[in-house]
Amino acid sequence: MLPKGGIHIKKILWVFLFLPFFIGACNYFSDYILSVDNITIEATKCSYSVTVTGERQKKPDILITIGQPPANSKDGMIMKSEVGEFFIDRDGTVTIYFTLVSGRRLLSTPLATVVRVFNSPITAPIIKKAAIRDGNIFLSLQGQSEGIKEYKVKIGSYNYFSKSGVFAIPLVSKLDVPIECFSIREDGAISEPAIANIDLSKNKKPSIDLILPEYYDGNKIPLELHDDWTAPEKLIVRAFADDIPLLFDGKALFPLFEIPGGEHLIEIEVIDEAGLSTKSSFQITIKKALLNEIAELYIEEGGTFRIASWKLPSSVQNAVLQVMGAGEWTDIMEIGFEGSARIPSEYISDMGDIYRLSPRKNDSMFLPSVPVFAKLEQSRRVTSSYIVSLYGKDVTLPSGGVYNFQGNIAVKSGSLLRIESSTSINLSRKSTLLVNGVLEIDGRRGKVTVSSFGSPAIIHIGRKGTFIARNVDFQNVELVADEGAVIVLENCEMNADVMLDVSSAQIYSSNITGSFKINNLNELYIFNSHISGSFESGFVKEGIVSNTQFDSKESSLSNSNIKFYNSEFSTGDIDISGSSHVYFYNSSLKVKRGIVNNASELYIEGTEIFCDEKLFIGNFSRIVMPEKVQDEVQIEKDNTSEVFLYNSGD
């Protein structure tokens, strides 16, 4: 039964769950058992109902004390009946004790019940805020009495409740009744109403708040729209970037296609349900050039600590230091142009860690630095010319040596194989160097050669393995990498096939003359490189290619999002499919024939495009290109696809 008066009862849990056992066990004066059935409060009157059971016909009296257990039978109120009432003149949390007595004799252990007493009246809440916004009545209430459980707002026949006192109540078309605000106490008492004074006669124009990121690339524009009587989703938004329509999804403006680089005028008109409108315009500048400089990162290993030092490209003032973990890069700290810092201990592990410098979010002016692997040097330096096993240990092959790997060799998870500069590694024909840990080949002080004679050997980077190669000549050695791996190539030559199914791949200043197949990549960065074999890309979430030349007989990009900057892409056939988005900026695209298919997009900006035969667009796909190049390409499309032409301003 719920309390009806000015008391909120909190009964001690063990009293109800274990009461018969407790009283029977502790009642060492008599054979009677006492239990409390119910307590209710009205104002200061406390009504109780208890049960006394026992073998004798005459039952003992009930002694009631407030605040403390009785010392004797004269401490409290003697009640003859199991149902009765008494008065409490205290305010706050009160403990009531029930004890069986006979004359001067206490017959039972006191039975305690905790109640909350409210003797003072409950007052109406303070209305801290009352306003109309986005088609809602916004209210913020604050209680003035103790023990407030929740708040209520009553508008006509509708009631709204909130434990925090904050309300967002949808507006009705006609609001001709008062807005009443109440406090509700823990005991169920309700205050008198406070009336919210809101001027319902005014209807203001919508407001527009547009904030462009520091580096805006021509895609979505964050936008906040507000009105008093009209909800955001019901506002009419008309927006354009020059002649390019901008679509509003409730949080941002999305151009029908990516806005080209240069200066543009953003014009926005917002109309509410009453027909009131607000117009605004913004001048924006879009830059889509990547720097040709790469940030430099160094890690000093100090045993229990690591020091990172760096130098950013000359025009870059800020970047973030990142660490690789669970297949993803995590930001550690933001850094300035040049300096050093101690890496926090939570980003240091005994197994070793991979670090790099990367642009801040929404700042894509430069590519990430070459990742650096750091681990406390505890490896065994090998001097033997023949390697048959690494025995699961960290191993270093010293510089200047010639090392012959006999058969299949494994770098186990958690272990490191480090190959120093000016060494020659000979792998057995058809053998596999399996890397589930870390393989680091550092030829910066002298080129390293890794070769195999006869049938190609394979360097296989296993799941979540790491491969970092700097200034290495791979001869007749294929590179295969599995899901979750991290691949880094800098100044490398590879004349065999490369197949990557990894979390992260960075290929800088390298040449790949075999086929190049990538799949399931979270990120791909290629800089200042040359790819001359066939090229296949599948399920690449984010790819950036800069200053790179592709020469291949055929190319395929499926379910991939790749941007080419200042690059040359020459291929026989090109197939862009599976909801791919491929962008060319200030580049050259030469194809014999091409297909853009299955909800895919080819975007051309500042790029020469040559197509010997024709370019087909089908199945809800599209091509975006400048007007001036439309006559240079023969395009065929079905009725579900589009060709968007824009004025490049050249």
Side-chain angles (χ1 to χ4, degrees):
M1 179 175 179
L2 296 173
K4 298 180 179 178
I7 288 186
H8 175 65
I9 302 173
K10 297 180 180 177
K11 295 184 179 180
I12 298 177
L13 185 60
W14 54 264
V15 170
F16 292 94
L17 296 180
F18 304 103
L19 188 60
F21 174 80
F22 177 81
I23 297 299
C26 296
N27 185 0
Y28 45 84
F29 297 109
S30 69
D31 296 327
Y32 290 98
I33 297 175
L34 172 65
S35 62
V36 177
D37 300 325
N38 187 51
I39 294 180
T40 59
I41 301 295
E42 293 181 7
T44 58
K45 183 176 69 175
C46 175
S47 301
Y48 71 90
S49 173
V50 300
T51 300
V52 180
T53 57
E55 296 180 358
R56 301 180 183 180
Q57 293 182 354
K58 184 180 179 180
K59 295 183 178 180
D61 297 332
I62 301 167
L63 174 64
I64 299 176
T65 57
I66 298 175
Q68 60 184 11
N72 55 61
S73 61
K74 296 181 179 181
D75 276 355
M77 299 169 283
I78 298 293
M79 301 294 183
K80 300 290 185 180
S81 173
E82 296 179 26
V83 178
E85 60 187 37
F86 58 92
F87 293 87
I88 301 175
D89 58 0
R90 302 182 186 182
D91 193 12
T93 301
V94 176
T95 304
I96 303 174
Y97 295 89
F98 295 85
T99 310
L100 297 179
V101 297
S102 178
R104 297 181 179 180
R105 192 177 170 201
L106 300 177
L107 301 182
S108 68
T109 300
L111 181 60
T113 299
V114 178
V115 297
R116 181 69 166 93
V117 180
F118 297 100
N119 283 333
S120 58
I122 181 172
T123 57
I126 297 174
I127 302 175
K128 297 179 65 178
K129 182 179 180 180
I132 296 178
R133 191 182 189 194
D134 297 334
N136 292 287
I137 299 173
F138 282 91
L139 295 168
S140 178
L141 309 181
Q142 180 178 335
Q144 301 187 81
S145 303
E146 293 184 0
I148 299 302
K149 179 179 66 173
E150 62 180 347
Y151 301 87
K152 180 177 82 169
V153 172
K154 182 179 180 182
I155 303 176
S157 60
Y158 295 95
N159 294 314
Y160 306 90
F161 297 89
S162 168
K163 294 186 181 298
S164 66
V166 177
F167 292 83
I169 301 170
L171 275 167
V172 295
S173 57
K174 293 182 179 180
L175 193 60
D176 52 4
V177 293
I179 302 173
E180 299 178 296
C181 306
F182 303 85
S183 291
I184 303 177
R185 207 162 54 188
E186 293 176 359
D187 61 344
I190 302 178
S191 71
E192 292 295 319
I195 306 300
N197 295 317
I198 300 177
D199 189 352
L200 303 175
S201 63
K202 294 183 178 180
N203 191 347
K204 299 179 181 179
K205 293 182 178 181
S207 65
I208 299 173
D209 186 10
L210 181 148
I211 302 176
L212 283 174
E214 183 176 345
Y215 178 85
Y216 176 57
D217 61 1
N219 286 292
K220 76 172 184 178
I221 304 173
L223 178 69
E224 286 190 13
L225 301 178
H226 297 289
D227 189 63
D228 43 14
W229 286 84
T230 305
E233 62 271 15
K234 295 182 179 179
L235 292 170
I236 298 174
V237 180
R238 297 169 181 156
F240 295 87
D242 296 335
D243 296 327
I244 302 173
L246 303 176
L247 310 177
F248 184 60
D249 72 343
K251 295 182 180 180
L253 291 171
F254 289 83
L256 182 62
F257 54 85
E258 186 177 298
I259 303 173
E263 294 187 354
H264 301 272
L265 181 65
I266 303 292
E267 297 179 282
I268 304 173
E269 181 182 13
V270 182
I271 307 170
D272 66 14
E273 290 180 309
L276 298 176
S277 66
T278 299
K279 294 182 179 180
S280 185
S281 61
F282 307 86
Q283 193 75 31
I284 64 171
T285 301
I286 302 174
K287 297 180 180 179
K288 300 186 180 181
L290 285 177
L291 297 179
N292 290 331
E293 300 175 74
I294 301 295
E296 298 176 8
L297 174 65
Y298 308 93
I299 302 294
E300 177 186 351
E301 183 71 63
T304 59
F305 65 89
R306 289 177 188 153
I307 302 294
S309 57
W310 61 84
K311 184 177 181 181
L312 301 180
S314 56
S315 59
V316 177
Q317 298 301 316
N318 299 99
V320 291
L321 177 64
Q322 297 181 319
V323 64
M324 169 59 71
E328 294 185 357
W329 292 99
T330 301
D331 292 351
I332 299 177
M333 65 180 76
E334 187 169 319
I335 61 172
F337 169 69
E338 187 173 6
S340 63
R342 185 166 179 164
I343 298 175
S345 58
E346 58 264 34
Y347 301 107
I348 299 176
S349 68
D350 294 336
M351 307 291 286
D353 302 281
I354 311 170
Y355 303 96
R356 78 175 183 187
L357 301 175
S358 187
R360 295 177 301 174
K361 188 177 181 181
N362 298 323
D363 184 0
S364 302
M365 292 179 61
F366 66 97
L367 296 176
S369 69
V370 176
V372 176
F373 179 76
K375 185 178 184 180
L376 181 62
E377 185 66 55
Q378 295 178 336
S379 63
R380 178 170 58 95
R381 298 182 69 84
V382 174
T383 58
S384 173
S385 297
Y386 294 91
I387 308 296
V388 295
S389 175
L390 302 177
Y391 302 103
K393 306 285 187 178
D394 289 354
V395 171
T396 297
L397 302 183
S399 62
V402 177
Y403 303 95
N404 300 285
F405 283 50
Q406 304 294 303
N408 297 328
I409 305 292
V411 180
K412 294 186 177 180
S413 177
S415 62
L416 163 69
L417 172 59
R418 176 175 283 133
I419 301 175
E420 295 182 343
S421 60
S422 302
T423 58
S424 294
I425 307 297
N426 298 318
L427 303 179
S428 302
R429 59 187 299 271
K430 293 187 177 181
S431 67
T432 298
L433 175 57
L434 176 61
V435 181
N436 289 321
V438 177
L439 171 58
E440 182 182 25
I441 309 177
D442 189 352
R444 285 176 293 175
R445 295 184 179 181
K447 184 182 287 288
V448 174
T449 301
V450 180
S451 61
S452 173
F453 299 99
S455 299
I458 298 174
I459 297 179
H460 188 164
I461 312 302
R463 191 172 184 270
K464 296 185 179 180
T466 298
F467 178 51
I468 301 176
R470 308 182 76 170
N471 198 22
V472 182
D473 185 3
F474 295 92
Q475 300 175 5
N476 200 33
V477 176
E478 296 180 356
L479 176 61
V480 177
D482 292 342
E483 176 187 0
V486 176
I487 302 298
V488 179
L489 299 176
E490 183 193 26
N491 291 323
C492 291
E493 302 282 340
M494 303 203 70
N495 65 359
D497 296 343
V498 175
M499 292 169 283
L500 306 182
D501 183 348
V502 299
S503 293
S504 175
Q506 291 180 229
I507 300 173
Y508 292 176
S509 302
S510 298
N511 295 323
I512 300 175
T513 57
S515 63
F516 184 41
K517 299 179 181 180
I518 53 177
N519 196 45
N520 293 321
L521 271 71
N522 287 336
E523 60 171 28
L524 168 70
Y525 295 103
I526 304 177
F527 172 71
N528 199 30
S529 296
H530 186 193
I531 313 295
S532 57
S534 61
F535 175 58
E536 293 184 23
S537 167
F539 295 95
V540 176
K541 290 183 179 179
E542 179 185 11
I544 294 180
V545 179
S546 177
N547 289 67
T548 294
Q549 182 178 352
F550 284 79
D551 294 306
S552 59
K553 292 182 179 180
E554 56 183 8
S555 302
S556 171
L557 298 93
S558 176
N559 295 283
S560 298
N561 187 349
I562 302 180
K563 296 182 177 182
F564 295 86
Y565 294 85
N566 300 308
S567 296
E568 294 183 14
F569 198 100
S570 178
T571 182
D573 295 341
I574 185 170
D575 185 352
I576 301 173
S577 63
S579 299
S580 292
H581 298 272
V582 181
Y583 306 81
F584 286 91
Y585 307 102
N586 303 312
S587 298
S588 173
L589 175 60
K590 300 177 181 179
V591 300
K592 182 177 181 181
R593 56 179 172 267
I595 297 176
V596 182
N597 206 5
N598 297 326
S600 296
E601 177 185 20
L602 174 62
Y603 180 94
I604 304 294
E605 181 180 337
T607 296
E608 294 180 324
I609 179 170
F610 303 97
C611 185
D612 293 342
E613 297 184 13
K614 65 181 179 180
L615 201 55
F616 174 77
I617 316 169
N619 295 320
F620 301 95
S621 298
R622 68 182 186 177
I623 291 181
V624 181
M625 63 172 58
E627 294 176 345
K628 66 177 185 177
V629 301
Q630 62 176 319
D631 295 333
E632 300 177 14
V633 183
Q634 181 184 354
I635 297 177
E636 179 182 336
K637 70 180 186 68
D638 63 13
N639 56 9
T640 67
S641 302
E642 293 289 343
V643 177
F644 292 98
L645 303 175
Y646 64 88
N647 184 356
S648 61
D650 297 339

